Amino acid sequence: MRLKALIFLPFMAMPAMAQEMVFSAAATESCLAALDETGDPKSCIGSSANACMEATPGGWSTVGMGGCLEQERLYWDARLNAAYKAVRAGAKSVDAEMREIGASAPSQAEALLAMQRAWIAYRDASCDYERSLWGGGTGGGPATVSCHMYLTGEQALYLEAQLVVN
């Protein structure tokens, strides 16, 4: 019994080693910082995932791509959530001011919530379609995560732009 455990032990550690990712959001942040006023911040989406795939052993495998893309998706999701909270707070403040002066303007906070809910449905349907294009192949997983990453990044940038405007 002990011999079986010793033979099996090295194989148990292999998947963990193969999946150690080298992810940093630095490539995306550097790309965004280097943009001038004519640059499109959307062009920076995916920079850190690509750097991760380059730096991670096996990063261009299906598992590696999925992991690196997911890490950048999480980065953009955190930015999106922070921007959404800030935009929502501003919208609630404007709504309160409008109520105070008796204006009949539509609620910004309610419109923002409806927009975000519609965007989530759009994102999910778009990425489900993207996955379907792979016909059940293994590339469907990374393609789906990539779709979520790009659309989440775009939405985060859109909401962050609302903070600059308002």
Side-chain angles (χ1 to χ4, degrees):
M1 179 90 173
R2 184 175 177 164
L3 182 59
K4 286 181 186 177
L6 291 175
I7 292 171
F8 185 65
L9 186 61
F11 294 107
M12 288 178 49
M14 282 178 44
M17 289 187 296
Q19 294 180 18
E20 288 182 29
M21 281 181 284
V22 182
F23 181 83
S24 166
T28 301
E29 292 170 0
S30 293
C31 179
L32 291 168
L35 291 175
D36 62 17
E37 62 276 351
T38 62
D40 183 2
K42 292 177 189 175
S43 67
C44 297
I45 300 170
S47 297
S48 292
N50 286 334
C52 173
M53 287 181 250
E54 289 290 337
T56 299
W60 290 103
S61 68
T62 303
V63 171
M65 287 188 291
C68 290
L69 291 163
E70 175 63 7
Q71 289 302 304
E72 186 165 341
R73 186 201 66 79
L74 291 170
Y75 164 81
W76 285 111
D77 191 58
R79 285 182 64 150
L80 183 149
N81 287 325
Y84 178 82
K85 287 177 186 175
V87 172
R88 184 145 169 90
K92 285 182 176 184
S93 177
V94 168
D95 288 351
E97 289 176 25
M98 292 293 117
R99 279 191 305 275
E100 192 174 301
I101 63 170
S104 61
S107 168
Q108 285 187 18
E110 288 175 19
L112 174 66
L113 179 61
M115 181 271 301
Q116 191 65 10
R117 285 180 175 164
W119 172 80
I120 290 168
Y122 166 78
R123 179 204 61 199
D124 292 348
S126 294
C127 295
D128 286 347
Y129 173 69
E130 182 71 28
R131 183 179 195 87
S132 77
L133 296 176
W134 287 84
T138 58
T144 304
V145 179
S146 178
C147 177
H148 276 263
M149 178 194 66
Y150 277 101
L151 293 179
T152 301
E154 289 175 358
Q155 187 69 357
L157 292 168
Y158 172 76
L159 291 171
E160 289 173 352
Q162 301 308 302
L163 294 170
V164 175
V165 172
N166 295 325

